[in-house]
Amino acid sequence: MRSVHPVLEEQVEVARSGETPGQFLLRGRLYVVRAVLARWTEPGGWRWSGPGEFVAGPVGASVSGVAVINSVPVDLADRELWRVEAAAGMSAALEVFDLCRDTAADPPRWTATLVEE
């Protein structure tokens, strides 16, 4: 099973090859995409982002003993995601990343998240 690396969504610069990411610059290193493993779109809608307070739990549940999430709803645009295998050099080991393109930003903003096995 794969898990997401603790460092989430680091901003990156991406050069596209047609419609898909071809390479990206992360922490001063150039990664070349060797394979696209998956592609999907996450609908924007309402997501939760701080500050604020939201009580998590079933509707009508009392606040006592229910987790409180410090966040408020925000309206976000759709996000395009690619799960890719990429390497920082010809002899470097392949790593799996989720590359996310936030189309609401102008110009669109790219982020990368390392996915670990």
Side-chain angles (χ1 to χ4, degrees):
M1 176 178 263
R2 295 181 185 265
S3 62
V4 178
H5 191 271
V7 180
L8 297 176
E9 297 191 349
E10 293 190 50
Q11 192 161 354
V12 294
E13 293 180 41
V14 173
R16 294 175 83 165
S17 176
E19 288 297 312
T20 62
Q23 55 188 11
F24 58 97
L25 188 60
L26 173 64
R27 296 185 194 159
R29 298 183 73 189
L30 180 65
Y31 287 79
V32 176
V33 174
R34 303 281 186 221
V36 175
L37 304 176
R39 184 193 180 286
W40 68 96
T41 300
E42 288 183 350
W46 288 83
R47 294 192 190 118
W48 294 95
S49 179
E53 197 169 279
F54 171 76
V55 178
V59 175
S62 67
V63 176
S64 176
V66 176
V68 174
I69 301 169
N70 292 320
S71 60
V72 293
V74 292
D75 193 12
L76 299 173
D78 291 352
R79 301 184 324 162
E80 299 171 352
L81 289 107
W82 286 263
R83 177 155 291 173
V84 300
E85 282 185 329
M90 292 301 290
S91 60
L94 286 174
E95 296 179 272
V96 178
F97 292 90
D98 284 345
L99 296 177
C100 174
R101 182 173 178 253
D102 179 3
T103 57
D106 187 25
R109 179 177 172 258
W110 285 89
T111 54
T113 304
L114 178 63
V115 179
E116 294 180 316
E117 298 228 16

